[in-house]
Amino acid sequence: QVQLVESGGGLVQAGASLRLSCTTSGSIASIRSMGWYRQAPGKQRELVATLTYTTTTSTNYAEFVKGRFTISRDNDKSTVYLQMNSLKPDDTAVYFCTANLRETRWSVWQEYWGQGTQVTVSS
């Protein structure tokens, strides 16, 4: 069974940094992309950043995190990171990891989600 486990959230002051990690486990044949979304209280879940693995690796960021957040992965592609710098109170949310992958070479591509990790930024 595929699992995504996030870690690294916490309570920080405005201007601080945090690094989130998301590790995949289980039977995975290949991963097409991984990314981070967030959901603040009373708001819809929104895209933060994605990392797509094709013949080259490409990244995509929401406008509100460009220049502050960086998404990256380890060499075996099973773990993705979100380095968050210059955090603002508006960044307070539950951050979710997602992966688009297939469990075997004959499986369909599916989206998997982690349980989320809380990030709270105080002013």
Side-chain angles (χ1 to χ4, degrees):
Q1 184 176 358
V2 174
Q3 287 189 319
L4 277 63
V5 178
E6 303 100 333
S7 62
L11 170 62
V12 297
Q13 290 189 328
S17 298
L18 279 175
R19 189 174 86 150
L20 305 183
S21 300
C22 172
T23 300
T24 60
S25 64
S27 175
I28 298 172
S30 55
I31 299 174
R32 188 155 62 182
S33 66
M34 294 188 75
W36 292 93
Y37 284 70
R38 72 185 188 185
Q39 187 166 20
K43 295 187 178 180
Q44 288 188 330
R45 191 171 296 189
E46 60 184 358
L47 171 72
V48 176
T50 59
L51 190 61
T52 302
Y53 316 141
T54 54
T55 53
T56 61
T57 300
S58 62
T59 57
N60 179 49
Y61 294 95
E63 282 297 323
F64 52 79
V65 301
K66 282 184 178 178
R68 300 189 299 126
F69 292 10
T70 303
I71 189 170
S72 62
R73 61 171 174 84
D74 63 1
N75 288 334
D76 70 4
K77 305 178 186 178
S78 65
T79 299
V80 68
Y81 306 97
L82 185 68
Q83 177 66 43
M84 305 187 295
N85 299 328
S86 303
L87 283 162
K88 307 174 182 179
D90 284 349
D91 294 318
T92 295
V94 178
Y95 284 71
F96 296 91
C97 175
T98 181
N100 188 265
L101 57 86
R102 55 183 178 182
E103 296 187 33
T104 72
R105 60 184 298 182
W106 300 278
S107 302
V108 297
W109 294 95
Q110 288 186 292
E111 200 78 13
Y112 291 83
W113 292 84
Q115 293 298 307
T117 185
Q118 177 70 47
V119 172
T120 303
V121 184
S122 64
S123 57

